[in-house]
Amino acid sequence: MKHITALAGLLLASTALSPAFAQENTDVTVVLGEEVDLVEPCMSTRSNIGRIVLQNISETLTELDVRGDKGLMPRLAESWEMTGDKTWRFHLREGVKFSDGSDFDAEDVKHSFERAGSDKITCEISRYYEGIDITPEVVDAHTIDFTTEPAQPILPLLMSLLTIVPSETPIEFTRDPIGTGPYTLAEWNPGQDIKLARRDDYWGDEPAVTGATYLFRSDPAVRAAMVQTGEADIAPSISATDATDPELDFAYPNSETTYLRIDQNVAPLGDKRVREALNLAIDREAFIGTILAEGTEIATAITPPTTLGWNPDVKAWPYDPDKARALLDEAKADGVPVDTTISLIGRTGNFPGATEVFEAIQGMLTDVGFNVELQMVEVAEHEQYYSKPYVEDRPILVGAQHDNSRGDPVFSMYFKYHSQGRQSGINDPKVDQLIDAATAATGEERSALWSELFAYLHDDVVADVLLFHMVGHARVGSRIDFKPTIATNSSLQLSEIGFK
């Protein structure tokens, strides 16, 4: 604790502002836990990129209201309606310009969708459209149709993830994102910082924040200290143990679910008894109130309980190390190579306490007889293990978080569990059928099918090791008017920040 106190003192001494300057300063500094390797709009569903790019530089057609009860709201699309069983028509906002001065129109929307799904680029946002054939067709400059197969009742909600770029944007990843948002990328100094500047010609209301500097510090205690001393204004992710100042710290519901993805195609992980032993070996309760915040919930699904179809009848795996050992012994007697070394891959800085959580899990798994090696890797390397094609030469558990704040499992299920999903570790025809049916269903049928799938994945397939629905903590400086939301872990809109 002494080093944190000393650091805080040094930071305070070097950054103290005069009252007059503080009142005039409408720039903000945000300190994040992970550096970005990309500023590509089509990758903005990745949390470390989304907090900088999403709705600040690049905007979407629709936007889900997470601060009130408005539901799905217009953004670049002013309205939308179904014109047939499988076709949605979007009416686009007129008078919108990109930051390069070009006009926004339907051709830009069509290009953005096709670019995100191109096999020449690996865009994260396209994974949310997998399993659905979607064809965009320009009707006129400010009208575009999307026809889907099968019918997609929540397509407007899916469009809250499609970031729009100019039609001239090349397919390959860009380092100079051009968007319609209220800010432009002013500087990117890899290893140091990123700066955004407010546009004068933004189509919407002028935000109070004139510019933003993003700094990166992996230690959550340092991030908390930087806000305490005024070197930074917002640290959207600090640890529960550092959230000790009721004047500055906010706990907020977090839509992230922490889990271990199991690739069942590699022995010994294809054996159901081994997967059950993985689940039984982990004392989930021991993490809550220690490494993780009070209020953290034990997960029984990849999405939080606020999601449509979430099944309250599914019960979490108990902590039963003796049964785990017995299952491993039984599998070993049948010739399953349970002694094989298993790699546990964690993402450094993914959340406060990530390293400690995965170290503890390694210890618990080792205690029941697994041979586990832990590797903590940076976000870019983590992606190599997380998305197909997987490393095939050894069994791997990928420690990860999945964010679904949009209320429907369609944002999760195909790419996490369908046999063709890019982050799926299973191949189960019944799972594929349930996902296909639920994706096209509406009303009570949709909810019932998702609910059936949640139970089947957890109890029958034992698809993964579900761990926690997380609680986030943010520290906000005293001059800033901002409260985090369930979406803060994936986006941080500068236009929602004011000054006191």
Side-chain angles (χ1 to χ4, degrees), residues 192-206:
Q192 299 182 43
D193 58 36
I194 285 181
K195 297 179 186 292
L196 304 191
R198 191 177 69 188
R199 290 175 57 185
D200 294 329
D201 59 344
Y202 178 57
W203 62 267
D205 294 337
E206 182 180 77

Side-chain angles (χ1 to χ4, degrees), residues 28-32 223 227 232-237 474-477 480 482 488 492 494 497:
V28 298
T29 299
V30 181
V31 57
L32 303 174
R223 298 198 293 274
V227 176
D233 295 298
I234 300 176
S237 180
R475 177 162 287 182
V476 180
I480 301 297
F482 174 78
T488 297
L492 183 59
L494 296 173
I497 298 173

Side-chain angles (χ1 to χ4, degrees), residues 191-443:
Q192 299 182 43
D193 58 36
I194 285 181
K195 297 179 186 292
L196 304 191
R198 191 177 69 188
R199 290 175 57 185
D200 294 329
D201 59 344
Y202 178 57
W203 62 267
D205 294 337
E206 182 180 77
V209 172
T210 49
T213 298
Y214 298 87
L215 303 175
F216 309 99
R217 301 290 186 270
S218 59
D219 188 336
V222 172
R223 298 198 293 274
M226 289 173 70
V227 176
Q228 188 87 40
T229 60
E231 188 184 5
D233 295 298
I234 300 176
S237 180
I238 64 173
S239 69
T241 54
D242 292 320
T244 56
D245 188 335
E247 299 296 321
L248 302 179
D249 298 333
F250 296 86
Y252 60 97
N254 192 324
S255 56
E256 297 279 3
T257 299
T258 302
Y259 77 117
L260 308 182
R261 199 277 310 289
I262 303 172
D263 182 0
Q264 299 186 12
N265 295 305
V266 183
L269 303 178
D271 191 279
K272 184 178 177 181
R273 291 165 297 188
V274 172
R275 299 195 299 277
E276 290 176 349
L278 288 169
N279 276 281
L280 292 164
I282 297 174
D283 184 0
R284 294 165 174 81
E285 294 281 0
F287 291 89
I288 301 173
T290 53
I291 301 175
L292 302 177
E294 294 284 359
T296 299
E297 296 183 45
I298 293 175
T300 58
I302 196 69
T303 59
T306 51
T307 311
L308 181 74
W310 188 84
N311 192 329
D313 296 327
V314 177
K315 303 303 178 188
W317 289 92
Y319 174 50
D320 192 340
D322 290 337
K323 187 174 181 179
R325 293 186 190 97
L327 285 169
L328 285 185
D329 289 343
E330 183 181 319
K332 186 176 183 178
D334 289 341
V336 178
V338 298
D339 297 329
T340 306
T341 300
I342 297 173
S343 295
L344 172 59
I345 308 296
R347 177 172 148 187
T348 304
N350 194 188
F351 56 90
T355 299
E356 292 81 358
V357 165
F358 291 121
E359 286 176 343
I361 288 175
Q362 179 194 24
M364 292 174 184
L365 295 178
T366 301
D367 181 59
V368 301
F370 284 106
N371 183 9
V372 177
E373 289 184 348
L374 174 63
Q375 288 179 251
M376 296 300 297
V377 299
E378 299 298 325
V379 58
E381 185 178 356
H382 186 268
E383 183 64 22
Q384 299 175 16
Y385 297 100
Y386 201 21
S387 298
K388 293 178 179 176
Y390 301 143
V391 176
E392 297 286 354
D393 62 346
R394 55 192 161 122
I396 292 178
L397 301 172
V398 179
Q401 287 195 316
H402 172 60
D403 171 46
N404 187 333
S405 60
R406 287 173 168 77
D408 194 289
V410 76
F411 290 95
S412 308
M413 290 307 186
Y414 188 93
F415 75 94
K416 292 293 184 188
Y417 295 118
H418 196 281
S419 58
Q420 301 301 311
R422 72 175 68 177
Q423 293 179 353
S424 173
I426 66 174
N427 187 345
D428 187 298
K430 182 176 179 178
V431 171
D432 291 355
Q433 184 272 326
L434 282 170
I435 291 173
D436 292 343
T439 299
T442 59

